[in-house]
Amino acid sequence: MAEEIAHVSDTAFWVAWYRWLETQRKDALFHDPLAGKLVGERGKRLARHMGIERAMAWSMALRTYIIDSYIMEAIAGGVDCVVNLGAGLDTRPYRLALPPDLLWIEVDFANIVTFKNETLTNDLPLCRLERIVCDLSQDADREALLADVNSRGRNILVLTEGVIPYLSNEAVAALAKNLREQSHITHWITDYFSPFFLGLAARGAIVKQLQKNAPFRFNPGPAPDDWPRFFASNGWQIEAMRFIGEEGRKLGRDLPANWLMRMMMRFAREERLRPYRQMNGYALLKKGHYVVPLDI
C-alpha cells in the first residue's frame, strides 16, 4: 500500500530508505545499517509512492557521500562541534569515524526526536550526541537555540541537509543571519539547486506530489549567480561546491539513464552535459560577503 508525505518531517523516512538501499550494495559508497532499523516498511512505501526510485537512489547516495566527506575534512581541520539542523533520520554519529570528544547536536521536530531516542536507545554513538526539539520556523525558538549551541564549541559546523528547499527565501535569509551572528559558528553545509534543476523539477512528478504538504519554496532567482549572490548578501560565501553529477562521474556512478540516453551522453559534448552534471549538489559556506562565481 502506498503512503503519502503528509508533513515535511515524513521526507526523513523517504530519503533514509535510499541510504538503506545503498548500504546493501556490494559497491556501497557508505554503510548506514541503522537506516534500515529506522525506516522499516514506511520508507519503502513512501519511495514507491513518490516514484523515480532509480534517480532518487543515485542522488541520495551521492548526496550522503559528499556531506560525509565535507564533515570528515572539517573535523580534520579543527571543527569540534557539528550542529545538524533538521537532522531527520541521519545516523552519522553512529557510523562515521568521529573523535569521541566531538559534540554532535541534532535538532528536529518533537516526533522525530522522540522516535529516534526510542528506536536507537540500545545503539551507542561514536561521539558525544545530544538531540534538541525545536521548530526552526519559529524565529524566537531558533534564535535561542543557536545562541545556546554557540557556547558549546569553539569551531562549529552547521549542517542543513535537505532543509533549505522547503523554506521561503525570507526564512533562509533569516536563518543565514542567525547563523552569521554566532561567533563560534564558522562553516555551513547546505543544498544547492541550479535554476536549470528547479525548472526541470517544477515539471516533475515528485515536486508536484510534494506541493501539497511539503512544497519546494526556496528559489533565489533565475540567473546562475543568483544562488551565490543570495548567500553572499546574507553573510556567507562559497568555500567549496561539489556537484552530485560530477562526483558521480568520478566515482563511476554517472547520471542514471536508459540505454538510449547513455548512448547520447557518450557522444555528447561536455558543455551539453554540464547543466545536468552541475544541476544540484552541496556547498560548504564560510562567513563572508563577496561572491565566488559558479562555473555553470
Side-chain angles (χ1 to χ4, degrees), residues 30-43:
F30 57 86
H31 290 90
D32 188 359
L34 291 179
K37 183 176 183 179
L38 287 164
V39 300
E41 286 295 311
R42 186 178 182 188

Side-chain angles (χ1 to χ4, degrees), residues 5 18 21 28 38 57 71 89 102 155 171 179 211 223 240 282 287:
I5 288 177
Y18 292 109
L21 288 185
L38 287 164
I71 290 170
L89 302 185
L102 178 82
N155 187 0
L179 293 175
Q211 196 63 35
Y282 269 79
K287 291 178 181 177

Side-chain angles (χ1 to χ4, degrees), residues 84-251:
N84 190 351
L85 301 179
L89 302 185
D90 178 58
T91 66
R92 288 186 175 93
Y94 299 86
R95 65 176 181 81
L96 292 182
L98 302 173
D101 59 344
L102 178 82
L103 175 60
W104 191 292
I105 300 173
E106 296 185 346
V107 180
D108 215 313
F109 294 108
N111 64 312
I112 294 292
V113 169
T114 299
F115 174 73
K116 287 182 80 173
N117 283 340
E118 292 176 350
T119 307
L120 302 179
T121 187
N122 295 321
D123 297 285
L124 296 177
L126 300 172
C127 64
R128 295 185 293 144
L129 173 62
E130 296 181 17
R131 294 193 178 99
I132 299 174
V133 172
C134 182
D135 182 347
L136 297 171
S137 69
Q138 302 300 308
D139 292 346
D141 292 346
R142 182 184 66 250
E143 291 167 9
L145 165 79
L146 294 177
D148 176 59
V149 301
N150 185 61
S151 66
R152 309 296 301 282
R154 299 182 306 277
N155 187 0
I156 302 172
L157 169 69
V158 169
L159 169 61
T160 54
E161 179 180 9
V163 172
I164 295 303
Y166 301 100
L167 302 179
S168 67
N169 287 17
E170 293 75 18
V172 176
L175 174 60
K177 175 178 179 290
N178 294 154
L179 293 175
R180 189 187 70 238
E181 291 169 341
Q182 309 308 318
S183 58
H184 293 148
I185 293 177
T186 59
H187 287 84
W188 178 12
I189 301 171
T190 194
D191 312 75
Y192 167 76
F193 294 112
S194 72
F196 177 74
F197 174 90
L198 293 174
L200 289 178
R203 302 190 296 271
I206 281 187
V207 168
K208 290 178 181 178
Q209 291 188 63
L210 290 172
Q211 196 63 35
K212 180 180 178 182
N213 296 314
F216 274 22
R217 303 175 66 192
F218 182 58
N219 190 344
D225 62 350
D226 283 338
W227 194 97
R229 194 181 306 279
F230 177 93
F231 283 94
S233 68
N234 288 288
W236 293 89
Q237 63 141 336
I238 299 170
E239 181 170 292
M241 177 69 78
R242 295 179 184 174
F243 299 104
I244 286 175
E246 290 188 346
E247 291 296 309
R249 181 171 57 168
K250 293 175 187 176
L251 295 165

